[in-house]
Every structure is written in structure tokens, then in C-alpha cells.
């Protein structure tokens, strides 16, 4: 049986009361958007398909003071980065999750997948995979690079496309590595078909002492597109999923281990070998999406649903934050109305497009090196 749920009576089609929103996706963009909207008084229902949105190994560039600004927490309550501006995905996610727990205006429903979005003159509605309908004044798609909400907004340009390479990512404890010096900053190594980004991170216990921290690494590899296709990770020009640790063949692990030792210096090569030994490596095929629009009347997209740049830009997360801020500002001015969502699109579309296009120059030349 189909049920219809409405978070609160919708009253803000005219500017004047805070109104309601459904946010699809409760990862970083969705959490930031829910928090900034709740600050303007909007009642938010978040829909998240998984219970675990963790992404092993990814590090993020988070501008100084960012988490304080978005969460409203004071600086002593948010994790301090070891390298200025670099945070782990987990630290940022945990701080945002803790912040939404404190908001009476935000309801989070996990294990719920949105399969369709629709709208009429008065409200927008998501339909879940079990047939439940949830309506609000507006729907915000924060559902990542394979966004379902984007299909409703841009049916003529619905998919992010494969950029031609994979990033292998992992994190190793310095205590597991036998080495005599420890990096103090982000390192860019290699070139040609293989580029490595290495970054020191606090230890699992928060330790900042060299030798007791962790080393994160991201290896850009344009030579394994056959594996991505044969595993179904990439189909045609569309990225379907990452290669999780158990899905990476043993032969690939062995090849990566051999290559790491010749391509990259210690302690980065050792960090890679340690991650490989523990089978704690994820392969993320990189997708890119240049948006043609961000909004259709009562439905809009933010974060990776709106723009997918190569991680080489280092700006995907910060850009998602600016989306959340611009959207909240437009809604504070014009309510949860189509006018507000169009103001948000006007504020953000150009910047979103130029971010992705700037990364495409890198991607095209990097992917060509394997051809
Ligand atoms: C390997 C890698 C490295 C990166 N490195 C950097 C970096 O150094 N610096 C930087 O700034 N950015 C980086 N990024 C980008 C950054 O991680 C993202 O821009 C940022 O996390 C915003 O993601 P998001 O919340 O928009 O989307 P996602 O993290 O993809 O979240 C989407 C959420 O929506 C949920 N969802 C999807 N579909 C549905 C549905 N139909 N129904 C319900 N829920 C759904 C998913 O389960 C998920 O929780 C990197 C990305 C990758 C892949």
C-alpha cells in the first residue's frame, strides 16, 4: 500500500513562514544543507539509502573554520586538522552528524531509497523504492554523482561520465611502517600514468606525534580501465560503483604492490604495501559532470549531484559547502519557493560549471597517457 507522508503542513509557497524540505542523501552535502536550512527555520526530512555512508581513506580540503561555521559548534568541539586545511572524510562526517542530532527540525530516515521525484504547483514529492511518498515545499537532491534527483531536473543530461582513470585509496598506521622520517605535509609524487597524493593524518587515537599518526594515500592510475569494465564498475561511459576491497582481484593487488615499490619512495610506498597486505584498498573510478541546470521549479541539486569534478581539483567538498550556504541564503530571502531555488541556481551554476571544466583539462591529459 502506498502511504503519503508530509513532514508538516506546507505553508511557505508564499514567502513568510519557514516551510518544509526533503533532502535526498545524508552524506556531507545533505548534512550541510539540512543544517543550514534548519538554521533558517525550515523543517527538514532527510532520506538516506544506506546506514553506512563511510568512504575509507578519502581526505578533504576543508577551509579553516568551515566546520565551526556550518555546525555552529565552537572550535574546541570539532576535530582539528593535522595538515592545515586537510580533514578526513570521517572527521567531517562525524561532526556534521553530531550537529544534526541536536536539531529538533531535522528528521533522518536511513535505509530508505528514493526512486522517483515529481512535483505540482504546490509541492514536490519523492517516492521511495517501497512506494512511500513524502512531500514538502521543495526537494533537494544531495544524492551524489549518480543522482536520481538529477534525472528529474536534467533528463537531457542525466549522467556523470567516466573520466578515464581510477584512484586507489587507503590509510596506513605509521606504527605499522618501519621508517626513519615522517612527512609533515601533503606530497605529490610520480607523474606519467601514475600520480600519488599522500597526506599525513592524525592517528586513530588522535595522536599528532610523528610515528604514531596515519598516512593517507590516493594513487591516480589510468592503466586499469580494462579491469574497471570487466568488473562492471564502469559500463559504457557511466561509473556504476567503486571496487571495494574484496572485489579487487589478488593479481591486481600483487601488481599494485610491485609497482608501488618502483614508482614511489618510502614511507609512501610502505603505506601502500601495508594497505594492500591488509586488503584495505578501494578503487574509485572517477566521474565528471558539468551541469546545464541546477533547478527545476521546486526541485534542486547540490554537491556531487550538481557538479562532479575530479578530486584533483581538491574543491568538491568546499564547493558543496558554498552550495549549501547559497541555498540557505536564497531560502532565507524568498522562502521554500521555486523563486528561491532559481536564485540559488543563478548564484551557483557558473561556478559549478567552471570548477568541473577546470578539472577536465587535467583528466583529458592524464587519461590520454594510457592510450
Ligand atoms: C576518491 C575521492 C577523493 C576525493 N577527494 C576530495 C578532496 O581531496 N577534496 C575535496 O574537496 N573533495 C574531494 N572529493 C569529493 C568530495 O568527497 C565530495 O564532493 C563531497 O563528499 C560531497 O559529496 P556529496 O555529499 O555531494 O555526495 P556523496 O558523498 O556521494 O553522498 C551521496 C549520498 O546520497 C545517498 N544516496 C544516493 N542515492 C540515493 C537515493 N536514491 N536515495 C537515498 N539516498 C541516496 C548515498 O548513499 C550517499 O550517502 C573526493 C571524492 C572522491 C570520490
Amino acid at each position: 500500500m502506498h502511504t503519503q507522508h508530509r513532514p508538516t503542513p506546507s505553508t511557505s509557497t508564499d514567502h513568510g513562514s519557514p516551510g518544509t524540505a526533503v533532502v535526498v542523501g545524508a552524506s556531507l552535502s545533505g548534512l550541510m544543507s539540512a543544517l543550514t536550512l534548519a538554521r533558517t527555520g525550515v523543517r527538514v526530512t532527510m532520506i538516506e539509502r544506506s546506514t553506512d555512508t563511510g568512504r575509507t581513506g578519502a581526505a578533504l580540503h576543508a577551509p579553516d573554520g568551515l566546520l565551526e561555521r556550518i555546525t555552529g559548534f565552537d572550535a574546541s568541539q570539532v576535530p582539528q586538522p593535522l595538515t592545515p586545511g586537510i580533514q578526513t572524510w570521517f572527521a567531517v562526517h562525524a561532526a556534521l552528524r553530531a550537529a544534526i542530532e541536536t536539531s529538533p527540525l531535522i528528521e533522518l530516515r536511513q535505509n530508505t531509497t528514493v526512486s522517483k521525484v515529481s512535483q505540482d504547483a504546490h509541492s514536490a514529492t519523492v517516492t521511495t523504492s517501497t512506494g512511500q511518498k513524502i512531500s514538502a515545499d521543495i526537494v533537494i537532491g544531495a544524492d551524489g554523482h549518480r543522482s536520481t534527483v538529477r534525472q528529474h531536473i536534467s533528463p537531457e543530461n542525466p549522467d556523470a561520465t567516466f573520466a578515464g582513470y581510477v584512484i586507489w585509496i587507503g590509510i596506513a598506521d605509521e606504527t605499522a611502517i618501519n621508517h626513519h622520517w615522517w612527512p609533515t605535509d601533503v606530497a605529490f609524487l610520480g607523474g606519467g600514468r601514475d600520480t600519488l597524493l599522500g597526506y599525513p593524518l592524525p592517528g586513530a587515537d588522535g595522536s599528532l606525534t610523528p610515528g604514531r599518526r596515519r598516512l593517507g594515500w590516493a594513487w591516480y592510475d589510468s592503466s586499469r580501465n580494462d579491469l574497471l569494465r570487466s568488473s562492471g564498475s564502469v559500463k559504457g561511459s557511466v561509473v556504476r560503483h567503486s571496487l571495494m576491497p574484496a572485489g579487487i582481484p589478488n593479481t591486481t593487488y600483487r601488481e599494485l604492490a610491485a609497482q608501488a615499490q618502483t614508482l614511489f619512495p618510502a614511507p609512501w610506498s610502505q603505506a601502500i604495501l601495508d594497505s594492500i597486505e591488509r586488503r584495505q584498498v578501494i578503487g574509485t573510478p572517477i566521474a565528471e559532470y558539468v551541469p546545464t541546470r541546477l533547478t527545476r521549479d521546486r526541485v534542486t541539486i547540490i554537491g556531487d549531484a550538481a557538479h562532479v569534478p575530479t578530486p584533483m581539483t581538491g574543491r568538491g567538498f568546499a564547493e558543496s559547502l558554498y552550495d549549501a550556504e547559497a541555498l540557505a541564503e536564497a531560502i532565507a530571502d524568498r522562502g521554500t519557493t521555486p523563486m528561491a531555488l532559481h536564485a540559488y541556481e543563478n548564484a551557483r551554476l557558473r561556478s559549478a560549471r567552471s570548477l568541473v571544466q577546470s578539472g577536465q583539462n587535467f583528466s583529458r591529459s592524464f587519461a590520454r597517457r594510457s592510450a
Side-chain angles (χ1 to χ4, degrees):
M1 192 180 73
H2 291 191
T3 51
Q4 177 99 20
H5 167 89
R6 203 170 175 81
T8 59
S10 172
T11 51
S12 79
T13 44
D14 299 321
H15 185 196
S17 76
T20 57
V22 169
V23 173
V24 184
S27 187
L28 303 184
S29 300
L31 292 167
M32 292 192 294
S33 183
L35 284 169
T36 48
L37 288 186
R39 290 251 193 89
T40 69
V42 174
R43 188 169 286 276
V44 180
T45 303
M46 303 192 76
I47 315 281
E48 169 56 50
R49 78 174 159 206
S50 66
T51 45
D52 169 21
T53 55
R55 197 184 251 167
T56 305
L60 299 168
H61 291 87
D64 270 356
L66 156 88
L67 285 175
E68 291 88 336
R69 200 160 92 222
I70 291 289
T71 59
F73 288 178
D74 71 38
S76 61
Q77 286 176 284
V78 299
Q80 294 307 301
L82 171 60
T83 309
I86 301 270
Q87 288 274 13
T88 61
W89 189 95
F90 294 105
V92 175
H93 187 257
L96 293 171
R97 276 300 298 270
I100 68 157
E101 301 293 335
T102 66
S103 172
L105 291 177
I106 302 174
E107 180 202 353
L108 171 60
R109 298 185 190 187
Q110 291 184 295
N111 269 330
T112 308
T113 300
V114 167
S115 51
K116 196 179 142 210
V117 179
S118 56
Q119 59 180 310
D120 60 25
H122 308 290
S123 64
T125 300
V126 297
T127 306
T128 68
S129 56
T130 58
Q132 190 186 23
K133 291 183 188 297
I134 305 165
S135 297
D137 299 331
I138 55 172
V139 166
I140 297 162
D143 50 344
H145 75 98
R146 297 193 68 206
S147 172
T148 301
V149 181
R150 191 200 291 142
Q151 317 279 321
H152 176 80
I153 292 175
S154 275
E156 72 297 342
N157 178 24
D159 293 320
T161 51
F162 178 49
Y165 53 97
V166 64
I167 303 184
W168 305 107
I169 49 180
I171 294 183
D173 284 323
E174 287 178 336
T175 50
I177 297 171
N178 181 16
H179 197 58
H180 54 278
W181 71 265
W182 301 105
T184 53
D185 208 347
V186 177
F188 271 101
L189 299 158
R193 282 161 53 149
D194 298 273
T195 295
L196 186 76
L197 174 64
Y199 36 90
L201 297 165
D205 61 357
S207 177
L208 304 181
T209 309
R212 308 193 61 78
R213 309 165 308 171
R214 289 174 297 174
L215 297 179
W217 55 271
W219 176 355
Y220 289 66
D221 174 4
S222 61
S223 68
R224 287 196 169 73
N225 294 351
D226 290 348
L227 169 65
L228 300 177
R229 292 190 184 284
S230 64
S231 63
S233 178
V234 173
K235 190 164 184 198
S237 63
V238 177
V239 173
R240 296 169 70 210
H241 56 78
S242 291
L243 280 174
M244 299 314 280
I248 300 174
N250 278 329
T251 47
T252 306
Y253 274 122
R254 279 196 293 274
E255 287 166 18
L256 289 172
Q259 279 179 305
Q261 293 174 81
T262 57
L263 288 171
F264 308 120
W268 301 109
S269 53
Q270 288 156 294
I272 296 171
L273 291 178
D274 178 72
S275 304
I276 288 175
E277 254 166 49
R278 288 181 293 111
R279 297 293 192 258
Q280 286 300 314
V281 177
I282 291 182
T284 302
I286 296 308
E288 292 174 312
Y289 180 75
V290 183
T292 42
R293 53 193 302 178
L294 302 179
T295 290
R296 183 168 161 198
D297 300 325
R298 292 181 174 276
V299 181
T300 197
I301 40 178
I302 66 167
D304 283 8
H307 40 72
V308 190
T310 167
M312 191 48 100
T313 63
R315 278 174 46 210
F317 172 62
E319 210 67 13
S320 306
L321 157 71
Y322 300 137
D323 290 345
E325 288 191 319
L327 184 58
E329 209 169 280
I331 286 171
D333 284 350
R334 295 159 201 254
T336 43
T337 61
M339 261 182 348
L341 302 193
H342 282 287
Y344 156 72
E345 180 180 70
N346 285 339
R348 297 295 303 148
L349 183 57
R350 184 183 296 191
S351 165
R353 285 176 62 82
S354 71
L355 165 67
V356 184
Q357 284 162 341
S358 71
Q360 282 180 321
N361 295 335
F362 163 81
S363 291
R364 285 189 189 121
S365 83
F366 187 72
R368 248 199 315 268
R369 287 174 201 163
S370 69

